[in-house]
Amino acid sequence: MSDGGDEKLSVEARLGLVAFTIDSEPHIRVNQDECRKCSLKQCLFVCPAKLYTEEEGEIKFNHEGCLECGTCRIACPKIDWNYPRGGFGAHYQYG
Amino acid sequence: MEMEEKFDAIIVGAGASGLGAAYSLAKSGFNVVVLERGQRIGAKNVYGGRIYSHVFEKEIPGFKEDAPVERWVTGERLTFLDDSSAATLELSSDFSSENSFITTLSKFNEWLGKKVEETGGLVISGIKVDDLIIEGSTVKGIVAGEERLFADVVIDAEGVNPILAKKAGLRGDWNPHEVAVGVKEVIKLPESVIEDRFNLNHGEGAANLFLGYASRYGFGGGFLYTAKDTISIGVVVRVDSAIANRISVYDIVEDFRLHPYISKLIKDGSPIEYSAHLVPEAGIHGVPKLYGNGILLTGDAAGFVLNRGFTVRGVDFAFLSGVIAAETIRKAHEEGDFSASTLSHYEQRLKESVVFRELENFRKVPNLLSNLRFFETYPKLLCEILKDAYTVGEDSKKIYPLLKNKMRDRVSMITLIRDIISVVRNL
């Protein structure tokens, strides 16, 4: 485990600090038809966990590591957004 | 849980507002259940780090002796940051004026949950409410997975993402300029190191808000709160600003942590948790319809947060809105009527309370804080002018020519004076 210090910690390393119970099914889905029409692609930079990525023109969302803030759904109303099922997702200790 | 069981009230969400309502109702013998989607109470709650204590002292007997306070705030700082320097205004006050304290919201809500249980209320964790049961225009209960539960009234304390409130027709969704995303890191450091570094006696805490670099000079800011053996640092950025400036939200708190001013304060400390949450930022303008037939809206879902730039208040407002919701339900119970006309008492009582008085009093602040000069021009100017003023060489300049020189092409003297007046008047 990196101790942080003066080095910039990657978002992956920071997500490693959060306790999660990961569900098999994603709680958030993107609609590729809408994504193809989108020129802003704000999901790629507003997610504090950097879970939206673009691969070969398709937007991918990785629900593992979702901090459940809802920023993406405010930034993009086309996202099919839900909280994880009860008991799943992040378990903050110092929230 | 039996299918036919009917509660006096079902409360969605074990945050400060839901638990405030549950505490107050359970104390007067009502049959209430709080449903919390987190695995335990507090697992989904995130905030900056500070709670104002006044409301809690009034509502919970023996609050100060019992609450999970990590440090009472005795040091207040407001810092203007540019890329590499910082100009700080500091107030160091005496320990006897206990007005606000630092803790984690996870721990605090867990404690509130215990208070609810002590008074006979039921809190069930690990249950997400998926939907409301609405008959005609009246909310009759909730749906959670396969279960349907009924109650005289549902208190929607679901938090900042108003999924159920939208279904109930109480409100639409937030616009990007009405909410901010807050991202936080918790840094572990020994108690004594924190006290030495922040000039604190044992048990005293420091709160520090930041304008400028933290939010990449967009609408928002940074924060730092010293807890017992952790320091919470974070950045809050209004979502419209994050979109417009294409801010990499996943990097902002790391960049803040590595700013020369912050990195010295948290030196040798390592991050132990990373978290994110939305914050209502619209003040009174973000408050929606607060009641309907069989439903009341409390806390963040109702937008009860006040950001004045140098203070941010929300947890105490949330709790009090829950207490007032409970009061309304007691009245509705007496009258045997849970229609919107009886439940409108909730809004009336809120308007008389500190929640609306404060939101009303500072109604111009969200607009005032929509002025980018407070987030970019002035923090940079202040740092630059002070840097030059304190740099002693062979031909030091007087402050006024220095100021005029720095302001050139950035802001006129008239605008500066106008902004100062608007701050003094409205903040």
Side-chain angles (χ1 to χ4, degrees), chain A residues 3 5 7-9 14 18 40 45-46 48 68-69 71 73 83-84 86-88 90-95, chain B residues 37 40 43-45 105-106 128 161 173 181 184-185 242 246-247 249-250 254-255 257 270 273-275 278:
Chain A
D3 69 347
E7 296 287 307
K8 189 160 169 170
L9 282 177
R14 279 174 278 142
V18 186
L40 261 180
F45 56 87
V46 299
E68 300 163 43
C69 61
T71 308
R73 55 172 283 277
Y83 280 122
F88 285 88
H91 313 299
Y92 293 122
Q93 288 184 53
Y94 300 89
Chain B
R37 68 183 183 88
R40 52 175 165 74
K44 304 295 187 185
N45 302 118
L105 194 53
S106 303
K128 184 180 106 175
N161 289 297
D173 221 321
V181 49
K184 178 167 99 166
E185 282 182 16
R246 299 188 78 82
I247 293 173
V249 173
Y250 49 83
E254 262 305 274
D255 292 343
R257 183 173 73 87
S270 50
E273 193 169 82
Y274 180 62
S275 54
L278 286 175

Side-chain angles (χ1 to χ4, degrees), chain B residues 8-278:
Chain B
D8 292 325
I10 295 170
I11 298 162
V12 183
S17 81
L19 293 171
Y23 174 73
S24 179
L25 283 170
K27 247 192 349 188
S28 28
F30 280 61
N31 179 22
V32 293
V33 62
V34 185
L35 301 174
E36 165 55 42
R37 68 183 183 88
Q39 201 182 49
R40 52 175 165 74
I41 301 173
K44 304 295 187 185
N45 302 118
V46 179
Y47 81 146
R50 178 225 297 260
I51 295 173
Y52 289 91
S53 62
H54 180 73
V55 164
F56 292 99
E57 281 170 50
K58 233 171 123 182
E59 299 296 334
I60 304 177
F63 175 79
K64 269 190 180 170
E65 294 67 45
D66 199 23
V69 171
E70 297 202 18
R71 292 177 183 276
W72 286 96
V73 175
T74 56
E76 302 275 3
R77 298 175 185 185
L78 178 65
T79 301
F80 298 88
L81 282 185
D82 70 10
D83 288 4
S84 58
S85 46
T88 298
L89 192 65
E90 179 174 353
L91 170 73
S92 190
S93 67
D94 84 64
F95 191 50
S96 61
S97 62
E98 292 174 349
N99 179 241
S100 70
F101 60 89
I102 295 166
T103 188
T104 65
L105 194 53
S106 303
K107 213 177 288 173
F108 186 71
N109 284 342
E110 196 185 343
W111 176 82
L112 278 180
K114 283 203 191 96
K115 287 275 149 193
V116 170
E117 280 161 2
E118 281 168 19
T119 51
L122 179 63
V123 186
I124 307 176
S125 297
I127 294 193
K128 184 180 106 175
V129 173
D130 299 305
D131 209 347
L132 297 168
I133 301 169
I134 303 175
E135 286 172 15
S137 64
T138 302
V139 175
K140 296 281 187 185
I142 61 93
V143 181
E146 303 293 303
E147 296 238 45
R148 290 160 63 85
L149 297 179
F150 294 87
D152 285 334
V153 61
V154 171
I155 298 179
D156 181 358
E158 65 186 317
V160 69
N161 289 297
I163 311 298
L164 299 173
K166 273 161 68 184
K167 289 185 178 174
L170 292 178
R171 58 168 304 153
D173 221 321
W174 299 104
N175 291 304
H177 71 274
E178 296 173 317
V179 278
V181 49
V183 195
K184 178 167 99 166
E185 282 182 16
V186 177
I187 315 283
K188 187 101 178 154
L189 275 169
E191 226 176 312
S192 60
V193 171
I194 292 176
E195 284 160 6
D196 287 349
R197 252 176 230 181
F198 288 85
N199 193 23
L200 302 166
N201 289 320
H202 188 67
E204 295 181 345
N208 197 344
L209 294 185
F210 299 83
L211 288 173
Y213 171 82
S215 61
R216 301 284 168 83
Y217 308 108
F219 303 119
F223 62 80
L224 180 155
Y225 296 100
T226 61
K228 189 163 176 275
D229 57 358
T230 57
I231 294 177
S232 290
I233 59 166
V235 177
V236 177
V237 183
R238 234 167 63 181
V239 176
D240 62 331
S241 199
I243 296 171
N245 301 323
R246 299 188 78 82
I247 293 173
S248 301
V249 173
Y250 49 83
D251 270 345
I252 43 175
V253 71
E254 262 305 274
D255 292 343
F256 182 56
R257 183 173 73 87
L258 297 175
H259 187 283
Y261 183 75
I262 303 296
S263 67
K264 271 179 266 182
L265 291 172
I266 57 161
K267 191 171 173 292
D268 300 324
S270 50
I272 54 168
E273 193 169 82
Y274 180 62
S275 54
H277 206 275
L278 286 175

Side-chain angles (χ1 to χ4, degrees), chain A residues 18-90:
Chain A
V18 186
F20 290 104
T21 303
I22 294 164
D23 204 349
S24 51
E25 285 293 302
H27 55 281
I28 294 173
R29 288 171 202 277
V30 293
N31 179 342
Q32 291 304 338
D33 293 335
E34 296 292 346
C35 297
R36 268 189 288 275
K37 284 186 270 176
C38 176
S39 56
L40 261 180
K41 302 220 185 333
Q42 59 272 42
C43 60
L44 297 177
F45 56 87
V46 299
C47 172
K50 206 183 182 182
L51 297 176
Y52 293 86
T53 50
E54 192 171 19
E55 286 168 38
E56 294 164 9
E58 293 228 318
I59 299 291
K60 307 259 184 216
F61 174 74
N62 175 11
H63 72 286
E64 302 173 13
C66 178
L67 301 171
E68 300 163 43
C69 61
T71 308
C72 59
R73 55 172 283 277
I74 302 295
C76 172
K78 307 284 185 192
I79 292 169
D80 175 17
W81 194 95
N82 286 289
Y83 280 122
R85 282 194 292 155
F88 285 88

